Amino acid sequence: MAIVLWSFMAGTVRIVAESFGATLGSALIYTVGGVLLLVFRRPAPIREFPKKYLIIGGLLFVFYESSISLSLGLASTAASSVEVSLVNYLWPTMMVLLAAGVSRRRHAVWKVLPGAIVATVGVALAVGGNSGLDWQAAAGHIADNPLPYVLAFAGALAWSVYAVFTPAWSHGVDGTSVFFPCVAVALWIIHFASGQGWPAEPPSLVAWLFVFIAAAAIGGGYACWGYGILHGSMERLAIASYATPVLSTGASAVLLGLALSLPFWCGALLVAAGSVLNYLVSARRSDPTT
């Protein structure tokens, strides 16, 4: 459910940003999402949170969300935005490799590496295919304006660390409903620091509706993800997370009225192939007869 809900994130956020601006739109979305989580998924009392999870986990959560918002805002062109998104979508690969690395199984990382490479190539095709991703141009964009790419990479790493280590740090306590409003506060600070005010023209009712839709999709996705990483198989969740960028690109194309090109479908097939490879490795390790 988290992966399905997150697939609507990019498209709805883009629609909101067109009416409210990037920083104000993000701040509004996370404010509404934070309120929804506090109402429908009331967090445990703060005293029940392990200090390590509350401090380190909270910082990782807020840093990831803030870094993604900033990296997309700092991207100078539409092509750069696609490239930054692609860097952000390295988090499923990082999560798969990190989950294998901390599993303490012999040669676990090497066994999942082929599937991770295949799936990552698929993500690059699926996300960049429709925009005609030019790798030489991308290298030039990184050289000219490295900050958004560095932020996106650091954010992806932070999110993979948060997801993999939360079960050990949290002792079963889910901090999503606490961390989410903190992200909203950080985004309001970013908005006011950027000097951007309210839109010149009052946003329409449809724009406000998409604020609510985006907030429900993102907040609901994080609520489902928080439950999943506490109660599910981390390795299989990591493998399933490869679907996030593919579904996100597909949903964005539908919401924004774009056609899906052949590279997207080839990328989707590669993501599926890489995920199946890693699933087979995971299933074989869990079989006591192998």
Side-chain angles (χ1 to χ4, degrees):
M1 282 302 300
I3 293 168
V4 171
L5 288 169
W6 281 342
S7 69
F8 295 98
M9 180 176 178
T12 54
V13 169
R14 176 67 179 270
I15 292 172
V16 170
E18 289 176 352
S19 298
F20 293 91
T23 59
L24 178 60
S26 295
L28 288 171
I29 289 169
Y30 278 84
T31 300
V32 175
V35 171
L36 290 174
L37 284 173
L38 290 174
V39 171
F40 294 103
R41 191 175 173 79
R42 186 173 298 177
I46 294 296
R47 63 179 180 273
E48 296 183 12
F49 282 72
K51 289 184 179 179
K52 186 175 184 179
Y53 173 54
L54 188 63
I55 296 172
I56 301 178
L59 287 174
L60 288 170
F61 193 104
V62 174
F63 175 75
Y64 170 69
E65 297 299 334
S66 302
S67 67
I68 295 307
S69 176
L70 276 175
S71 63
L72 290 173
L74 291 170
S76 54
T77 64
S80 296
S81 297
V82 173
E83 294 155 10
V84 167
S85 297
L86 184 55
V87 175
N88 169 49
Y89 285 133
L90 288 174
W91 70 261
T93 299
M94 293 179 180
M95 190 175 162
V96 166
L97 296 176
L98 189 57
V102 301
S103 68
R104 298 181 181 177
R105 295 190 179 98
R106 189 178 182 184
H107 304 310
V109 174
W110 292 108
K111 289 178 180 178
V112 301
L113 190 58
I117 292 173
V118 171
T120 303
V121 172
V123 169
L125 280 174
V127 176
N130 271 16
S131 303
L133 193 61
D134 185 332
W135 295 103
Q136 281 190 329
H141 295 156
I142 294 172
D144 293 337
N145 186 21
L147 184 56
Y149 300 89
V150 172
L151 283 172
F153 183 85
L157 181 59
W159 184 245
S160 64
V161 171
Y162 173 85
V164 172
F165 288 99
T166 284
W169 291 345
S170 65
H171 301 303
V173 180
D174 186 0
T176 303
S177 298
V178 174
F179 301 153
F180 209 85
C182 295
V183 175
V185 172
L187 289 173
W188 278 112
I189 293 172
I190 291 170
H191 170 66
F192 288 120
S194 69
Q196 298 181 26
W198 195 257
E201 296 183 4
S204 65
L205 289 176
V206 174
W208 283 106
L209 176 62
F210 269 99
V211 169
F212 182 83
I213 292 172
I218 297 171
Y222 279 107
C224 292
W225 185 257
Y227 184 89
I229 61 178
L230 290 179
H231 302 283
S233 165
M234 180 51 59
E235 291 181 348
R236 295 188 180 183
L237 281 171
I239 294 167
S241 67
Y242 278 122
T244 304
V246 176
L247 291 177
S248 178
T249 304
S252 297
V254 172
L255 287 170
L256 301 174
L258 305 174
L260 293 172
S261 62
L262 180 62
F264 170 84
W265 297 109
C266 292
L269 289 174
L270 286 175
V271 168
S275 299
V276 168
L277 283 175
N278 281 344
Y279 177 80
L280 292 175
V281 171
S282 174
R284 185 174 182 181
R285 285 202 304 265
S286 62
D287 186 352
T289 63
T290 58

